Amino acid sequence: MTLYQLFYLVAAFCFIFALKWMSHPSTARRGVFSGEFGMLLAIVGTLIRADMINYELVIGGLIVGTAIGIPIALLMPMTAVPQRTAISLSCGAFASTLIGAAEYYKIGPRPAFTNGALMVEILLGALTTTASLMAFGKLQEILPGRPMVFKFQNYFNLGVLAVAAVIGVYNVASPGDTHLFPVYVALAGTFGVLLIIRIGGADMPTVIALLNSYSGLSSCAMGFALDNKLLIISGALDGSSGLILSIIMCRAMNRSFSNVLFGGFGQLQASTAGGKDARPVRSASPEEAAGILADARSVVVIPGYGMAVAQAQHKIRELHDVLTKRGVEVRFAIHPVAGRMPGHMNVLLAEADVPYDKLIEMEDINGDMGMTDVALIVGANDIVNPAALNDPGSPIAGMPILDAYKSRTIMIIKRGMSAGFAGIDNELYYMDKTLMLFGDAKSFVASLVKEIGSNHD
C-alpha cells in the first residue's frame, strides 16, 4: 500500500465516523472535526500521488477556494445556513460537472462502463448545480417561494430528462462523436431548473436533503470514472445519507417523493382569498402576554421559519431563562420540517445555547400538549395548522403537526395574517383561546422578557 492510499483509507474511516458521530448532539462536534480531518487527509493524499501533473493549478485552486470559503464561514449568519448549504451543493456539483466534462473530452479509448459513469456524473452534477442555485434563489427570496406551475409541466419535465438520457446513451455508445455533448449538459441543467421551480418553500427541507444526495451520487460516479476509491466511498456515504434523510423528511410530512417533486405543494389556494381575511381574531399586547406567561406552570415554545427570519433565537433563550427563574417549565417543540433545511431549528437554538434536553421532538411532546398552559408559536404556521387533521381536501391533509391547538392558551407571534408556505388559512388563529401577538418576533420577545423581568419579580 502506497502512502496516498493509506491517507485515503484513513480519510474514508474518518468520513464514516463523522456520519456516525453527527447523529447525536453530544458527539456532533467530534463528527465535524472527524469529517474535516478526513478531507484534509484526502487533499494531502491527492497532492502526494505519483500521477500529480500540475501542482500550480491544484494549489492555486486550493488558495482561491480557501479565500472564498473562510469569509463565508465567518460572515454567514446562522439564519442563512440553508442558503449557504444550497450554494455549497451547487459549487460541489459544478466541480463534478467540470471534471466529468474534462475527462469526457480526453482523447483515447475508454471502457463503456467508464463512459456510462461519466454520463451519470455529468447528468447529476449539472442538474444539481442549477437546482441548487434555484433553491438558493427561493430561500433567499430572490425568486418566488411558491411553485411556478404551467400546463403539462410534468410531461414537459420528463420529456427533457428523457431526451437527455437518450443523448447520454448515444454518447456512451459513440464516445468519439462529441457534438451532442454540450446539448446533453444543457438539458441536464435545464431539468434542474424545471425540477425546482414547481417546488414550494414548504418542501425546501426535503429538497435540500435530496440535492445533497444527488451531489453525493455524482461524486460517487466520478469515483468510478476516475478509478478513485475514496470518491466512491465518500460519494456513496453522502448520497445514501441524503436519500435516507429525504425519506425521513417525507415520512414526517406524510408525503411521497413523487408528491414532493411533482405535487406543486405551496400553491396559493382559492380558499384564502375570500372573506376569511376579515374574520375577527383576539390579539394581546406584550404586557398582557407577559402576564399570562409569568403565571403559567408549563410553556411550550414552537419555533418556525419566522423565528429564523427575525433572528429571534437569542431573545427566545432570554425568555427561557427569565421564565425558568420563575419556576415555569419551558420546553421547545421541534417539528421535523420546521424551517428551510433539516434540523434548522435545532441549529439556531443550539447557537443561542438553549439546553439541548429542552428540545423535544414532535412525537415525544404531542402527548403533553393537552396539559400545557401556554403554547407560544414563534413564526410557525403550517406545522401547527389543524387543517392537516380535520380537512381532507387541504393541501397539507395527513401531514403530522404539533398539537398546539390542544393547549389551554395559544399565543402566536406573527407580523400579520398572511398564509404560510402552503398558501392556506390557519384555523388556529381564530380559536377562542388563541391570542395573536402581532409584530416582529425578535422585538416582541424582547418586550416579553423586559415585562416579565421588571414587573413579575
Side-chain angles (χ1 to χ4, degrees):
M1 178 182 290
T2 62
L3 184 59
Y4 91 84
Q5 289 175 327
L6 178 62
F7 276 35
Y8 278 7
L9 180 62
V10 176
F13 277 107
C14 285
F15 294 152
I16 294 171
F17 281 116
L19 278 179
K20 175 178 175 54
W21 285 329
M22 289 181 70
S23 65
H24 194 276
S26 62
T27 56
R29 190 179 296 273
R30 187 194 312 165
V32 172
F33 289 144
S34 176
E36 291 174 340
F37 182 66
M39 184 55 67
L40 177 63
L41 288 178
I43 293 172
V44 173
T46 301
L47 290 175
I48 63 176
R49 286 183 59 156
D51 55 354
M52 176 61 67
I53 298 174
N54 194 323
Y55 281 98
E56 291 80 4
L57 285 176
V58 174
I59 294 175
L62 289 173
I63 292 173
V64 171
T66 302
I68 295 172
I70 289 178
I72 290 177
L74 295 178
L75 301 177
M76 181 73 70
M78 293 299 292
T79 49
V81 167
Q83 293 93 309
R84 190 205 61 78
T85 302
I87 283 293
S88 297
L89 291 175
S90 180
C91 290
F94 186 54
S96 293
T97 306
L98 291 177
I99 294 171
E103 188 70 18
Y104 179 78
Y105 279 113
K106 276 186 177 180
I107 299 175
R110 287 187 302 270
F113 178 81
T114 301
N115 283 331
L118 280 174
M119 289 301 106
V120 172
E121 172 200 341
I122 293 165
L123 176 69
L124 291 173
L127 75 85
T128 303
T129 299
T130 54
S132 298
L133 288 175
M134 295 297 295
F136 170 82
K138 283 177 174 281
L139 292 168
Q140 193 64 24
E141 299 182 356
I142 299 172
L143 300 173
R146 300 195 185 282
M148 304 177 192
V149 182
F150 54 85
K151 195 173 183 180
F152 303 118
Q153 187 171 16
N154 288 338
Y155 295 107
F156 182 80
N157 293 358
L158 292 175
V160 171
L161 181 61
V163 173
V166 170
I167 296 176
V169 172
Y170 176 80
N171 288 337
V172 172
S174 305
D177 187 357
T178 61
H179 71 282
L180 287 179
F181 181 74
V183 179
Y184 177 73
V185 177
L187 287 173
T190 301
F191 180 75
V193 173
L194 295 171
L195 185 68
I196 299 301
I197 62 171
R198 69 163 300 117
I199 297 176
D203 280 326
M204 274 303 140
T206 305
V207 170
I208 292 293
L210 194 58
L211 292 177
N212 183 70
S213 177
Y214 290 165
S215 180
L217 293 175
S218 177
S219 298
C220 183
M222 185 200 307
F224 282 107
L226 301 180
D227 193 24
N228 186 307
K229 306 299 190 297
L230 183 59
L231 274 175
I232 295 173
I233 294 171
S234 60
L237 288 171
D238 195 10
S240 58
S241 61
L243 182 61
I244 292 170
L245 182 57
S246 300
I247 294 171
I248 293 173
M249 303 299 280
C250 284
R251 286 179 178 174
M253 295 188 295
N254 195 28
R255 303 176 66 212
S256 63
F257 265 131
S258 61
N259 191 252
V260 170
L261 296 178
F262 306 115
F265 182 55
Q267 299 176 62
L268 187 64
Q269 302 296 305
S271 61
T272 65
K276 284 190 176 182
D277 291 342
R279 292 172 64 184
V281 297
R282 299 174 62 210
S283 61
S285 66
E287 294 80 8
E288 294 167 328
I292 295 171
L293 288 169
D295 292 337
R297 291 173 300 174
S298 60
V299 173
V300 171
V301 180
I302 301 176
Y305 183 63
M307 184 191 76
V309 172
Q311 301 187 37
Q313 62 270 29
H314 294 283
K315 292 299 178 183
I316 290 290
R317 167 60 197 262
E318 292 179 21
L319 180 63
H320 164 272
D321 291 345
V322 74
L323 287 174
T324 301
K325 287 180 181 178
R326 291 185 56 83
V328 180
E329 181 189 25
V330 182
R331 293 180 294 170
F332 296 80
I334 306 300
H335 194 283
V337 296
R340 297 293 188 91
M341 65 175 290
H344 195 183
M345 297 299 104
N346 304 66
V347 170
L348 293 179
L349 294 172
E351 181 206 12
D353 294 324
V354 172
Y356 207 88
D357 61 353
K358 297 292 185 179
L359 309 186
I360 314 298
E361 298 297 329
M362 175 181 63
E363 60 270 18
D364 295 324
I365 203 167
N366 265 348
D368 297 338
M369 294 303 292
M371 298 176 287
T372 299
D373 291 327
V374 180
L376 178 62
I377 300 168
V378 187
N381 196 326
D382 297 324
I383 62 171
V384 293
N385 193 338
L389 303 178
N390 54 37
D391 183 1
S394 172
I396 62 172
M399 184 181 86
I401 63 167
L402 288 163
D403 295 338
Y405 68 94
K406 293 181 179 179
S407 303
R408 295 186 178 99
T409 301
I410 305 159
M411 295 196 292
I412 304 172
I413 301 179
K414 205 171 187 296
R415 290 181 180 272
M417 296 295 293
S418 59
F421 290 131
I424 58 175
D425 217 1
N426 193 336
E427 291 296 323
L428 200 64
Y429 300 162
Y430 311 105
M431 295 178 68
D432 292 337
K433 58 183 178 179
T434 297
L435 294 174
M436 300 299 298
L437 312 181
F438 291 117
D440 173 77
K442 184 177 182 180
S443 300
F444 205 105
V445 175
S447 298
L448 292 175
V449 172
K450 181 180 179 181
E451 288 294 327
I452 295 172
S454 61
N455 298 331
H456 300 277
D457 293 329

